[in-house]
Amino acid sequence: MLQQSVRREQEYPQQSSAQHEPWKEKVVYQIFPRSFQDSNGDGSGDLPGIVSRLDYIRSIGVDTIWLSPVYESPRVDQGYDIRNHREIDPLMGTMEDWEELLREMHARGMDLWMDLVLNHTSDQHRWFRQSRSSTDNPYRDYYIWRPAEPGGEPPNNWTSYLGGSAWEYDEATGEYYLRLYNKRQPDLNWDNPKVREEIQGLVRYWLDKGVDGFRLDAINVVSKDHRLPDTDESKLEGSGYKHFKNDPHVHQYLRELNEKGFSHKEGTVTVGEASMVSMEDVARYTDPDRKELSMIFMMESPSIGTDPNDSFKEREWKLPELKEIVARWEKELLNRGWFGLFASNHDHPRMVSSFGHDGKYRVESAKMLATLVHTLWGTPFIYQGEEIGMTNSPFESVDQLDDQMALHYYDSRTKRGEDAKEVESRVLAGTRDHARTPMQWTDEEQAGFTSGEAKPWMPVNPNYRGINVQAQENDPDSILNYYRKLIALRREHADVIVHGEYASLLEEHEQVFAYVRRNEQRQGLMLLNFSEKEAEFELPEDIGVCLESAYRLLGNYPAEEGAEEADMGKDSLSRTKGNVVPHVLRPYEALIIGGLKPAP
Ligand code: GLC
């Protein structure tokens, strides 16, 4: 037994103290501002609305806010199409409002991370208006322009993420420009040093204004293979990625941006959105010695239920696959990189509807999913409304949608002759708008999101009378109060939960996700039932922890009757002594068992 424990320690080397930077202990809350809180009755959320809710956000235990774009924008893509990076969109408020937000956040000990969209701009941006005006304009080379192929065809066969060619023909100068997203979101040319200088200047501008970090949109597609070769893929949306994702130059550009931008203020934290990455790519982006980014998101797990060749097509998946993804990231990146963890954001349907059960077991499954995200190695991100278990909306027709990806997909697929009803049902299930309905604050009209005459820009989910913040504040067993306990627990046991190693158990079990987090002194065991059925399981005899001295730290069902309860002292979490490791988990049950000593 002893020998086995020793071997295990060697297999999982201890982290160096250099990797215990304080920012790794952060818990981040993402705000999609248009849907968070309206303060002026126009039906759209705004900056003063966020200020009025800061005490609430802080009360969850988070210390950082990632604010989705609030810059001036024509809002073809909800602000991810920026017209002016240095101004606030009037829909959101004024620069004074933004400054007040930052001041009020800092006064509460919270950090603000702005969302920087640097792969493309709006076609209304001053740079693009200049660029498209003539072939010899000084801004021409800020974007990627190419003449047509003989016969007028686009320069290559890449397709945009919205479907159709990634190239847009522009009458004014008779050339094509590249746009991986909407035709109104032209891609910037990062190979042009002037563009990179502009971007570095933007980063310094916001750092000088006092921001603490950035989320970097679509950062691994910014550098394209300058030969712009045809692709051999035949995906209808987003083909060509081999030639623009994780291009070798992106690393050089990020190091430069770090040196001339992020390093402008000490302690700046960055998180990159980067899908389709190998473990080597992640290590390259986030290895502290390389000085590129602090972390990138683990996007592989939230996308597990989506067909990689068709983002609106569901894909069947089994729990062992999810465990494999998590174990790969947790183990392969230890000591080499860092990543952000999330189960929902503004680009995905609601977490509890996709991965849990949004009916009978909504409460249990929302807590279970939160337990996973908050007990892994990596930085947890909460998306607004997730903490109260908000669900998908009952959209009935594409006419109710705003999501440009969903609408373009519907158009292009139906034009190709696909069955309209079938395409519509796919789009209604997968639209990003599920995440973008207004935050549900109270059971009053419009869920307390807006008090004005104007209707909310996106209808409130009709289930707001049952699912809202106010109701959950008053219920000690609510999802909201579970998040509070979970985050407090993560902080209290940061040595294990934030910094400890990860070891997976029961890798083939199709219902139970079980793993151990540990350091030399202490360990934690997590047991999660991912199904609506009871799940039986048997832990292997040697899990390297001593179960006799285990106690329950947190669970989403009441503790077994008769179990001894003890007060943990400085916090209010209750714990149960005795035999706390069950052999059966109830539907969507989650258990955190802690205080374990290594097996003798
Ligand atoms: C990112 C954003 C998404 C946006 C896209 C284009 O994926 O998260 O909302 O549509 O980039 O900027």
Side-chain angles (χ1 to χ4, degrees):
M1 182 68 109
L2 181 67
Q3 274 175 351
Q4 280 177 346
S5 303
V6 169
R7 197 192 63 217
R8 250 191 318 275
E9 295 307 334
Q10 285 166 350
E11 274 171 16
Y12 300 104
Q14 293 301 300
Q15 295 193 14
S16 71
S17 56
Q19 297 203 311
H20 281 222
E21 294 99 340
W23 61 263
K24 291 188 172 168
E25 297 181 14
K26 288 188 173 303
V27 179
V28 187
Y29 189 87
Q30 181 194 350
I31 293 184
F32 188 76
R34 196 167 184 191
S35 302
F36 193 62
Q37 175 70 66
D38 179 17
S39 75
N40 60 1
D42 67 354
S44 277
D46 47 41
L47 291 165
I50 299 174
V51 175
S52 73
R53 296 295 185 181
L54 285 180
D55 286 333
Y56 165 74
I57 300 171
R58 190 74 182 106
S59 80
I60 305 169
V62 304
D63 48 40
T64 302
I65 290 175
W66 149 26
L67 186 60
S68 279
V70 291
Y71 317 96
E72 245 185 54
S73 162
R75 315 200 76 80
V76 168
D77 187 18
Q78 286 310 331
Y80 285 90
D81 49 321
I82 301 175
R83 179 166 50 214
N84 186 339
H85 298 89
R86 295 176 191 240
E87 294 294 342
I88 299 296
D89 198 303
L91 190 72
M92 298 289 156
T94 62
M95 188 56 91
E96 288 68 41
D97 294 330
W98 181 87
E99 284 160 359
E100 193 195 348
L101 170 68
L102 184 70
R103 230 182 359 259
E104 291 295 324
M105 283 182 61
H106 284 171
R108 288 167 176 78
M110 296 167 89
D111 285 356
L112 176 59
W113 296 356
M114 294 291 272
D115 202 328
L116 279 181
V117 188
L118 303 174
N119 174 65
H120 46 267
T121 66
S122 157
D123 65 343
Q124 307 290 300
H125 197 290
R126 179 175 57 86
W127 301 339
F128 191 71
R129 283 192 276 122
Q130 291 282 335
S131 185
R132 84 189 322 177
S133 67
S134 74
T135 50
D136 57 4
N137 186 285
Y139 287 88
R140 184 66 169 181
D141 208 23
Y142 269 46
Y143 296 84
I144 302 168
W145 292 93
R146 291 290 183 278
E149 289 291 288
E153 292 300 302
N156 68 23
N157 64 354
W158 300 356
T159 56
S160 99
Y161 288 114
L162 306 180
S165 174
W167 295 91
E168 197 63 30
Y169 184 72
D170 202 44
E171 295 282 342
T173 55
E175 286 192 341
Y176 282 94
Y177 62 87
L178 182 71
R179 47 90 174 186
L180 294 180
Y181 292 89
N182 193 300
K183 64 179 181 194
R184 299 195 52 195
Q185 292 168 297
D187 281 48
L188 283 164
N189 175 16
W190 276 60
D191 290 334
N192 179 350
K194 284 202 200 115
V195 168
R196 302 202 303 275
E197 276 165 31
E198 297 268 14
I199 289 171
Q200 293 150 15
L202 289 176
V203 165
R204 291 193 300 267
Y205 170 82
W206 285 104
L207 288 175
D208 284 340
K209 289 190 82 63
V211 308
D212 308 284
F214 301 100
R215 180 259 186 187
L216 299 151
D217 189 70
I219 199 64
N220 64 335
V221 306
V222 298
S223 171
K224 284 85 182 170
D225 178 340
H226 59 268
R227 293 163 301 173
L228 302 170
D230 273 339
T231 179
D232 54 9
E233 292 161 84
S234 52
K235 274 168 58 162
L236 288 178
E237 295 93 15
S239 79
Y241 77 92
K242 290 180 200 154
H243 308 294
F244 57 74
K245 277 211 169 166
N246 312 307
D247 181 70
H249 289 107
V250 76
H251 297 288
Q252 180 191 327
Y253 297 154
L254 285 176
R255 276 199 294 280
E256 185 189 55
L257 184 55
N258 188 316
E259 186 193 327
K260 299 182 179 163
F262 309 142
S263 304
H264 184 61
K265 185 169 144 189
E266 215 192 315
T268 303
V269 184
T270 52
V271 52
E273 185 201 29
S275 62
M276 304 180 82
V277 284
S278 67
M279 295 302 96
E280 287 316 308
D281 291 324
V282 187
R284 275 187 213 118
Y285 286 119
T286 66
D287 177 343
D289 293 339
R290 291 174 58 91
K291 298 197 168 31
E292 295 186 18
L293 301 174
S294 314
M295 61 181 129
I296 67 163
F297 286 114
M298 184 203 280
M299 299 184 70
E300 201 177 339
S301 47
S303 310
I304 195 170
T306 311
D307 184 332
N309 291 318
D310 181 337
S311 52
F312 284 91
K313 205 163 173 188
E314 286 183 17
R315 174 182 171 274
E316 290 242 346
W317 61 278
K318 294 219 158 77
L319 191 59
E321 275 181 72
L322 179 63
K323 293 191 235 186
E324 185 279 321
I325 296 171
V326 169
R328 178 157 34 85
W329 283 68
E330 299 274 310
K331 289 180 181 168
E332 290 198 26
L333 293 164
L334 184 77
N335 283 333
R336 306 205 287 158
W338 192 258
F339 46 86
L341 298 156
F342 69 98
S344 60
N345 67 19
H346 65 296
D347 288 334
H348 292 267
R350 288 281 172 183
M351 161 182 109
V352 74
S353 300
S354 305
F355 302 110
H357 189 294
D358 60 11
K360 185 169 169 202
Y361 296 114
R362 186 182 64 85
V363 174
E364 290 79 4
S365 64
K367 292 177 181 175
M368 186 279 290
L369 291 165
T371 310
L372 177 68
V373 171
H374 290 260
T375 59
L376 290 175
W377 186 74
T379 299
F381 285 71
I382 301 167
Y383 178 66
Q384 67 186 41
E386 172 194 315
E387 77 279 15
I388 55 167
M390 278 177 63
T391 67
N392 282 355
S393 258
F395 296 125
E396 283 169 355
S397 129
V398 279
D399 302 337
Q400 294 168 300
L401 303 184
D402 165 83
D403 172 6
Q404 61 148 346
M405 279 196 181
L407 295 173
H408 278 265
Y409 179 94
Y410 179 79
D411 265 7
S412 70
R413 299 277 170 154
T414 47
K415 281 199 187 112
R416 284 166 48 88
E418 288 188 36
D419 181 70
K421 273 283 151 225
E422 219 269 306
V423 180
E424 186 175 46
S425 78
R426 240 183 274 160
V427 159
L428 295 180
T431 174
R432 306 186 293 178
D433 285 339
H434 289 298
R436 300 176 178 194
T437 61
M439 182 70 186
Q440 294 165 205
W441 296 104
T442 67
D443 64 1
E444 292 149 0
E445 207 58 23
Q446 309 297 5
F449 164 71
T450 175
S451 56
E453 298 281 290
K455 284 213 171 98
W457 76 280
M458 169 71 57
V460 173
N461 188 320
N463 65 17
Y464 72 94
R465 289 199 192 272
I467 303 175
N468 61 68
V469 171
Q470 190 184 44
Q472 297 200 19
E473 287 286 4
N474 300 327
D475 171 6
D477 291 326
S478 65
I479 303 171
L480 175 59
N481 281 316
Y482 187 86
Y483 267 82
R484 289 177 169 142
K485 289 181 204 160
L486 192 56
I487 294 168
L489 186 137
R490 183 179 171 89
R491 288 196 193 291
E492 190 184 349
H493 300 282
D495 58 330
V496 177
I497 300 183
V498 180
H499 303 289
E501 299 144 6
Y502 173 91
S504 41
L505 302 169
L506 308 178
E507 279 155 359
E508 299 305 320
H509 203 294
E510 295 204 345
Q511 288 168 280
V512 178
F513 200 146
Y515 49 98
V516 170
R517 303 291 317 281
R518 62 179 170 212
N519 63 20
E520 271 166 344
Q521 290 81 35
R522 303 196 309 132
Q523 335 215 312
L525 170 66
M526 267 47 77
L527 297 170
L528 312 172
N529 181 358
F530 258 76
S531 77
E532 58 182 282
K533 300 217 171 69
E534 287 200 336
E536 285 181 34
F537 65 99
E538 191 136 3
L539 291 177
E541 246 178 48
D542 174 23
I543 61 166
V545 293
C546 172
L547 296 178
E548 280 72 44
S549 64
Y551 54 87
R552 173 188 154 113
L553 276 170
L554 190 62
N556 62 351
Y557 278 82
E560 290 291 324
E561 275 201 27
E564 188 189 337
E565 296 269 330
D567 188 7
M568 272 173 76
K570 60 180 163 38
D571 65 34
S572 58
L573 302 171
S574 71
R575 65 182 186 183
T576 314
K577 285 201 178 124
N579 186 9
V580 292
V581 182
H583 293 287
V584 180
L585 289 177
R586 287 162 281 188
Y588 294 104
E589 181 160 10
L591 260 180
I592 304 180
I593 291 164
L596 307 168
K597 295 196 180 71

